[in-house]
Coordinates of all heavy atoms in Angstrom, one line a residue:
N124 N 20.1 -24.1 -59.0 CA 21.5 -23.8 -59.5 C 21.4 -23.3 -60.9 O 21.1 -24.1 -61.8 CB 22.3 -25.1 -59.4 CG 23.7 -24.8 -59.9 OD1 24.2 -23.7 -60.0 ND2 24.5 -25.9 -60.3
L125 N 21.4 -22.0 -61.1 CA 21.2 -21.4 -62.4 C 22.6 -21.1 -63.0 O 23.4 -20.3 -62.6 CB 20.4 -20.1 -62.2 CG 19.9 -19.5 -63.5 CD1 18.9 -20.4 -64.2 CD2 19.2 -18.1 -63.2
R126 N 22.8 -21.9 -64.1 CA 24.1 -21.7 -64.8 C 23.9 -21.0 -66.1 O 23.1 -21.3 -66.9 CB 24.7 -23.1 -65.2 CG 24.8 -24.1 -64.0 CD 25.2 -25.4 -64.4 NE 25.2 -26.4 -63.4 CZ 25.5 -27.7 -63.5 NH1 25.8 -28.2 -64.7 NH2 25.5 -28.5 -62.5
L127 N 24.7 -19.9 -66.3 CA 24.6 -19.0 -67.4 C 25.7 -19.4 -68.4 O 26.9 -19.4 -68.1 CB 24.7 -17.5 -67.1 CG 23.4 -16.8 -66.7 CD1 22.8 -17.6 -65.5 CD2 23.7 -15.4 -66.4
N128 N 25.3 -19.9 -69.6 CA 26.3 -20.5 -70.5 C 25.7 -20.4 -71.9 O 24.6 -20.8 -72.1 CB 26.6 -21.9 -70.1 CG 27.7 -22.5 -70.9 OD1 28.2 -22.0 -71.9 ND2 28.1 -23.7 -70.5
D129 N 26.5 -19.8 -72.8 CA 26.0 -19.7 -74.2 C 26.4 -20.9 -75.1 O 26.0 -21.0 -76.3 CB 26.6 -18.4 -74.9 CG 25.9 -17.2 -74.5 OD1 24.7 -17.3 -74.2 OD2 26.5 -16.1 -74.4
E130 N 27.1 -21.9 -74.5 CA 27.5 -23.1 -75.2 C 26.4 -24.1 -75.1 O 25.6 -24.1 -74.2 CB 28.8 -23.7 -74.6 CG 30.0 -22.6 -74.6 CD 30.3 -22.2 -76.0 OE1 30.3 -23.0 -77.0 OE2 30.7 -21.0 -76.2
V131 N 26.4 -25.0 -76.1 CA 25.4 -26.2 -76.0 C 25.9 -27.1 -75.0 O 27.0 -27.6 -75.1 CB 25.3 -26.8 -77.4 CG1 24.4 -28.0 -77.3 CG2 24.8 -25.8 -78.5
V132 N 25.0 -27.4 -74.0 CA 25.5 -28.3 -72.9 C 25.1 -29.7 -73.1 O 24.1 -30.0 -73.8 CB 24.9 -27.8 -71.6 CG1 25.4 -26.4 -71.2 CG2 23.4 -27.8 -71.6
D133 N 25.9 -30.6 -72.5 CA 25.6 -32.0 -72.5 C 24.8 -32.3 -71.2 O 25.3 -32.3 -70.1 CB 26.9 -32.8 -72.5 CG 26.7 -34.3 -72.4 OD1 25.5 -34.8 -72.3 OD2 27.7 -35.1 -72.4
L134 N 23.5 -32.5 -71.4 CA 22.6 -32.6 -70.2 C 23.1 -33.7 -69.3 O 23.1 -33.5 -68.0 CB 21.2 -32.9 -70.6 CG 20.5 -31.8 -71.5 CD1 19.1 -32.2 -71.8 CD2 20.5 -30.5 -70.8
L135 N 23.4 -34.9 -69.8 CA 23.8 -36.0 -69.0 C 25.2 -35.8 -68.4 O 25.4 -36.0 -67.2 CB 23.8 -37.3 -69.8 CG 24.1 -38.6 -69.1 CD1 23.1 -38.8 -67.9 CD2 24.0 -39.8 -70.0
G136 N 26.1 -35.4 -69.3 CA 27.5 -35.3 -68.8 C 27.8 -34.2 -67.8 O 28.6 -34.3 -66.9
E137 N 27.0 -33.1 -68.0 CA 27.2 -32.0 -67.1 C 26.1 -31.9 -66.0 O 26.0 -31.0 -65.3 CB 27.2 -30.7 -67.9 CG 28.3 -30.6 -68.9 CD 28.3 -29.3 -69.7 OE1 28.1 -28.3 -69.1 OE2 28.6 -29.4 -70.9
R138 N 25.3 -33.0 -65.9 CA 24.3 -33.1 -64.8 C 23.3 -31.9 -64.8 O 23.1 -31.3 -63.8 CB 24.9 -33.3 -63.5 CG 25.7 -34.6 -63.3 CD 26.2 -34.8 -61.9 NE 26.9 -36.1 -61.8 CZ 27.4 -36.5 -60.7 NH1 27.5 -35.7 -59.6 NH2 28.0 -37.7 -60.6
V139 N 22.8 -31.6 -66.0 CA 21.9 -30.5 -66.2 C 20.5 -31.0 -66.2 O 20.2 -31.9 -67.1 CB 22.2 -29.6 -67.4 CG1 21.1 -28.6 -67.7 CG2 23.5 -28.9 -67.2
D140 N 19.6 -30.6 -65.4 CA 18.2 -31.0 -65.4 C 17.4 -30.4 -66.6 O 16.6 -31.1 -67.2 CB 17.5 -30.8 -64.1 CG 18.3 -31.5 -62.9 OD1 18.5 -32.7 -63.0 OD2 18.6 -30.8 -62.0
V141 N 17.6 -29.1 -66.7 CA 16.8 -28.4 -67.8 C 17.8 -27.4 -68.5 O 18.6 -26.7 -67.8 CB 15.7 -27.5 -67.1 CG1 14.9 -26.8 -68.2 CG2 14.8 -28.4 -66.3
A142 N 17.7 -27.4 -69.8 CA 18.5 -26.4 -70.6 C 17.5 -25.6 -71.4 O 16.6 -26.1 -72.0 CB 19.5 -27.1 -71.5
V143 N 17.7 -24.3 -71.4 CA 16.9 -23.4 -72.2 C 17.6 -23.1 -73.5 O 18.8 -22.7 -73.4 CB 16.5 -22.0 -71.5 CG1 15.8 -21.1 -72.4 CG2 15.8 -22.3 -70.2
R144 N 17.0 -23.3 -74.6 CA 17.6 -23.1 -75.9 C 16.9 -22.1 -76.7 O 15.7 -22.1 -76.8 CB 17.6 -24.5 -76.7 CG 18.4 -24.5 -78.0 CD 19.9 -24.5 -77.8 NE 20.4 -25.5 -77.0 CZ 20.6 -26.8 -77.4 NH1 20.3 -27.1 -78.7 NH2 21.1 -27.7 -76.6
L145 N 17.6 -21.2 -77.3 CA 17.1 -20.1 -78.2 C 17.4 -20.5 -79.6 O 18.5 -20.7 -79.9 CB 17.6 -18.7 -77.8 CG 17.5 -18.3 -76.4 CD1 18.1 -16.9 -76.2 CD2 16.1 -18.3 -75.9
G146 N 16.3 -20.4 -80.5 CA 16.5 -20.8 -81.8 C 16.1 -22.3 -82.0 O 15.4 -22.9 -81.2
S147 N 16.6 -22.9 -83.1 CA 16.2 -24.2 -83.5 C 16.7 -25.2 -82.4 O 17.9 -25.3 -82.2 CB 16.7 -24.6 -84.9 OG 16.3 -23.7 -85.8
A148 N 15.8 -26.0 -81.8 CA 16.2 -26.9 -80.8 C 16.6 -28.2 -81.4 O 16.1 -28.6 -82.5 CB 15.1 -27.2 -79.8
V149 N 17.4 -29.0 -80.8 CA 17.9 -30.3 -81.3 C 16.7 -31.3 -81.2 O 16.1 -31.4 -80.1 CB 19.1 -30.8 -80.5 CG1 19.5 -32.2 -81.0 CG2 20.3 -29.9 -80.7

Side-chain angles (χ1 to χ4, degrees):
N124 178 18
L125 193 62
R126 306 176 186 177
L127 275 58
N128 188 350
D129 285 328
E130 304 299 323
V131 176
V132 298
D133 175 359
L134 299 182
L135 182 60
E137 299 183 41
R138 293 184 177 180
V139 171
D140 299 306
V141 182
V143 178
R144 184 74 55 82
L145 305 180
S147 303
V149 175

